[in-house]
Amino acid sequence: EPEVTQTPSHQVTQMGQEVILRCVPISNHLYFYWYRQILGQKVEFLVSFYNNEISEKSEIFDDQFSVERPDGSNFTLKIRSTKLEDSAMYFCASTEQGTGGEKLFFGSGTQLSVL
Amino acid sequence: AQSVSQHNHHVILSEAASLELGCNYSYGGTVNLFWYVQYPGQHLQLLLKYFSGDPLVKGIKGFEAEFIKSKFSFNLRKPSVQWSDTAEYFCAAHNDYKLSFGAGTTVTVRA
């Protein structure tokens, strides 16, 4: 079965540093998403991306965050200057269709620890 | 704005007991509904989904959920749980470009 892959599985960084979380969505998918889950809390939507632009973003997704699809396969989330409260598990997801939730495939996540 | 609420934060039960987890959503338009499960140390997996048709949907591992439009509810059920059902369960609603999750319910099944 095709899968969404995320690297690294665990990222440790110092507060104020920039981090880039990488995702390789499933090859024929067109819609891409980032979610995060702070330990013990619910999964929160960050941003959706289609046709090389952001479709929707949440209040969490402020100016410190950006997304990019630098080539035909990668989808990245950049946090410009990390804060302690950015520590969370970040999930990438992709789907063939924007409203096709049944085909929303999640990656296994990147655990970001900000020290 | 769309939101999803789950009634129970933590449910503890014994093997073979029946399970029902409540979920309500607030959105008046067409919405697709899901239950996801997250086993300890693993990523989210789809349990079942409702798009249209029969409001009683069956998913994997013996789970089912019933969509009641008048109550804006999509409760998850399993008649007899196993120890391996210990996990976090998330209800989610999808419309437009966003999938919104509930806060999750931790289910602990004691052997």
Side-chain angles (χ1 to χ4, degrees):
Chain A
E1 184 177 81
E3 59 179 21
V4 175
T5 56
Q6 290 185 241
T7 54
S9 57
H10 194 183
Q11 173 96 41
V12 181
T13 189
Q14 296 291 324
M15 191 170 57
Q17 295 295 305
E18 175 184 283
V19 293
I20 298 176
L21 308 183
R22 304 181 191 280
C23 169
V24 179
I26 294 170
S27 61
N28 64 332
H29 285 188
L30 302 176
Y31 297 82
F32 315 113
Y33 308 79
W34 281 102
Y35 287 80
R36 78 173 185 188
Q37 184 180 28
I38 295 171
L39 186 65
Q41 299 184 24
K42 69 176 180 180
V43 179
E44 301 173 296
F45 168 79
L46 292 178
V47 65
S48 59
F49 190 87
Y50 169 71
N51 199 26
N52 282 321
E53 59 183 28
I54 291 173
S55 306
E56 188 167 351
K57 59 183 181 180
S58 72
E59 292 175 353
I60 303 167
F61 195 88
D62 60 23
D63 292 342
Q64 292 298 312
F65 291 88
S66 62
V67 289
E68 192 179 28
R69 189 154 163 80
D71 51 44
S73 60
N74 291 284
F75 178 53
T76 61
L77 174 70
K78 183 194 288 186
I79 308 175
R80 219 177 318 277
S81 178
T82 51
K83 303 187 282 285
L84 294 176
E85 53 265 38
D86 293 327
S87 295
M89 181 73 86
Y90 288 81
F91 294 101
C92 173
S94 70
T95 182
E96 197 173 353
Q97 303 168 21
T99 55
E102 67 175 300
K103 296 186 177 73
L104 194 69
F105 289 84
F106 282 89
S108 55
T110 294
Q111 179 67 54
L112 176 65
S113 299
V114 182
L115 306 179
Chain B
Q2 176 178 280
S3 68
V4 179
S5 60
Q6 293 182 236
H7 310 304
N8 313 98
H9 181 63
H10 194 180
V11 173
I12 303 172
L13 58 167
S14 301
E15 276 192 310
S18 64
L19 173 70
E20 179 160 0
L21 303 181
C23 171
N24 287 91
Y25 65 94
S26 64
Y27 185 68
T30 301
V31 62
N32 301 320
L33 299 162
F34 308 83
W35 276 97
Y36 283 85
V37 62
Q38 187 175 30
Y39 297 103
Q42 297 186 28
H43 60 91
L44 292 164
Q45 299 175 43
L46 181 66
L47 262 184
L48 49 78
K49 61 187 185 292
Y50 172 79
F51 277 27
S52 63
D54 189 345
L56 184 63
V57 291
K58 295 192 183 299
I60 61 173
K61 304 181 189 235
F63 285 91
E64 65 179 30
E66 184 175 13
F67 170 60
I68 302 179
K69 188 175 182 179
S70 60
K71 295 184 179 180
F72 294 87
S73 69
F74 189 56
N75 292 354
L76 181 72
R77 297 194 291 253
K78 185 169 183 177
S80 177
V81 295
Q82 302 171 308
W83 176 81
S84 57
D85 293 322
T86 294
E88 187 89 13
Y89 293 81
F90 294 94
C91 181
H94 189 281
N95 76 300
D96 300 325
Y97 297 107
K98 186 167 72 176
L99 185 67
S100 299
F101 287 84
T105 298
T106 302
V107 173
T108 302
V109 180
R110 291 180 171 158

